[in-house]
CSV table of all heavy atoms in Angstrom, one decimal:
chain,number,residue,atom,x,y,z
T,271,GLN,N,-25.7,100.2,55.2
T,271,GLN,CA,-26.4,101.0,54.3
T,271,GLN,C,-27.8,101.4,54.9
T,271,GLN,O,-28.3,102.5,54.8
T,271,GLN,CB,-26.6,100.3,53.0
T,271,GLN,CG,-27.3,101.1,51.9
T,271,GLN,CD,-27.4,100.3,50.6
T,271,GLN,OE1,-27.7,99.1,50.6
T,271,GLN,NE2,-27.1,101.0,49.5
T,272,LEU,N,-28.4,100.5,55.6
T,272,LEU,CA,-29.7,100.7,56.2
T,272,LEU,C,-29.7,101.6,57.4
T,272,LEU,O,-30.5,102.5,57.6
T,272,LEU,CB,-30.4,99.4,56.6
T,272,LEU,CG,-31.1,98.6,55.5
T,272,LEU,CD1,-31.5,97.2,56.0
T,272,LEU,CD2,-32.3,99.3,54.9
T,273,VAL,N,-28.7,101.4,58.3
T,273,VAL,CA,-28.8,102.1,59.6
T,273,VAL,C,-27.5,102.8,60.0
T,273,VAL,O,-27.3,103.3,61.0
T,273,VAL,CB,-29.1,101.1,60.8
T,273,VAL,CG1,-30.4,100.5,60.6
T,273,VAL,CG2,-28.0,100.0,60.9
T,274,GLY,N,-26.5,102.8,59.1
T,274,GLY,CA,-25.2,103.3,59.4
T,274,GLY,C,-25.1,104.8,59.5
T,274,GLY,O,-24.2,105.4,60.2
T,275,ILE,N,-26.1,105.6,59.0
T,275,ILE,CA,-26.1,107.0,59.1
T,275,ILE,C,-27.2,107.4,60.1
T,275,ILE,O,-28.4,106.9,59.9
T,275,ILE,CB,-26.3,107.7,57.8
T,275,ILE,CG1,-25.3,107.3,56.8
T,275,ILE,CG2,-26.4,109.2,57.9
T,275,ILE,CD1,-23.9,107.7,57.1
T,276,GLN,N,-26.9,108.2,61.1
T,276,GLN,CA,-28.0,108.6,62.0
T,276,GLN,C,-29.0,109.5,61.4
T,276,GLN,O,-28.7,110.4,60.7
T,276,GLN,CB,-27.3,109.3,63.2
T,276,GLN,CG,-28.3,109.6,64.3
T,276,GLN,CD,-27.6,110.0,65.6
T,276,GLN,OE1,-26.5,109.5,65.9
T,276,GLN,NE2,-28.2,110.9,66.3
T,277,ARG,N,-30.2,109.1,61.6
T,277,ARG,CA,-31.3,109.9,61.1
T,277,ARG,C,-31.6,111.1,62.0
T,277,ARG,O,-31.3,111.0,63.2
T,277,ARG,CB,-32.6,109.0,60.9
T,277,ARG,CG,-32.4,107.9,60.0
T,277,ARG,CD,-33.5,106.9,60.0
T,277,ARG,NE,-33.3,105.8,59.1
T,277,ARG,CZ,-34.2,105.0,58.7
T,277,ARG,NH1,-35.4,105.2,59.0
T,277,ARG,NH2,-33.9,104.1,57.8
T,278,PRO,N,-32.2,112.1,61.5
T,278,PRO,CA,-32.5,113.3,62.3
T,278,PRO,C,-33.3,113.0,63.5
T,278,PRO,O,-33.1,113.6,64.6
T,278,PRO,CB,-33.2,114.3,61.4
T,278,PRO,CG,-32.8,113.8,60.0
T,278,PRO,CD,-32.6,112.4,60.1
T,279,ASP,N,-34.2,112.1,63.4
T,279,ASP,CA,-35.1,111.8,64.6
T,279,ASP,C,-34.6,110.6,65.4
T,279,ASP,O,-35.3,110.0,66.2
T,279,ASP,CB,-36.5,111.5,64.1
T,279,ASP,CG,-36.6,110.3,63.1
T,279,ASP,OD1,-35.6,109.8,62.7
T,279,ASP,OD2,-37.7,109.9,62.8
T,280,ASN,N,-33.3,110.1,65.1
T,280,ASN,CA,-32.7,109.0,65.8
T,280,ASN,C,-33.5,107.7,65.6
T,280,ASN,O,-33.3,106.7,66.4
T,280,ASN,CB,-32.5,109.3,67.3
T,280,ASN,CG,-31.4,110.3,67.5
T,280,ASN,OD1,-30.5,110.4,66.7
T,280,ASN,ND2,-31.5,111.0,68.6
T,281,SER,N,-34.3,107.6,64.6
T,281,SER,CA,-35.1,106.3,64.5
T,281,SER,C,-34.3,105.3,63.7
T,281,SER,O,-33.3,105.6,63.1
T,281,SER,CB,-36.4,106.7,63.7
T,281,SER,OG,-36.2,107.1,62.4
T,282,LEU,N,-34.8,104.1,63.7
T,282,LEU,CA,-34.3,103.0,62.9
T,282,LEU,C,-35.3,102.5,62.0
T,282,LEU,O,-36.5,102.7,62.2
T,282,LEU,CB,-33.9,101.8,63.9
T,282,LEU,CG,-32.8,102.2,64.9
T,282,LEU,CD1,-32.6,101.0,65.9
T,282,LEU,CD2,-31.5,102.4,64.2
Side-chain angles (χ1 to χ4, degrees):
Q271 188 178 40
L272 280 172
V273 299
I275 304 296
Q276 184 166 324
R277 298 171 182 199
D279 61 351
N280 289 335
S281 67
L282 296 172

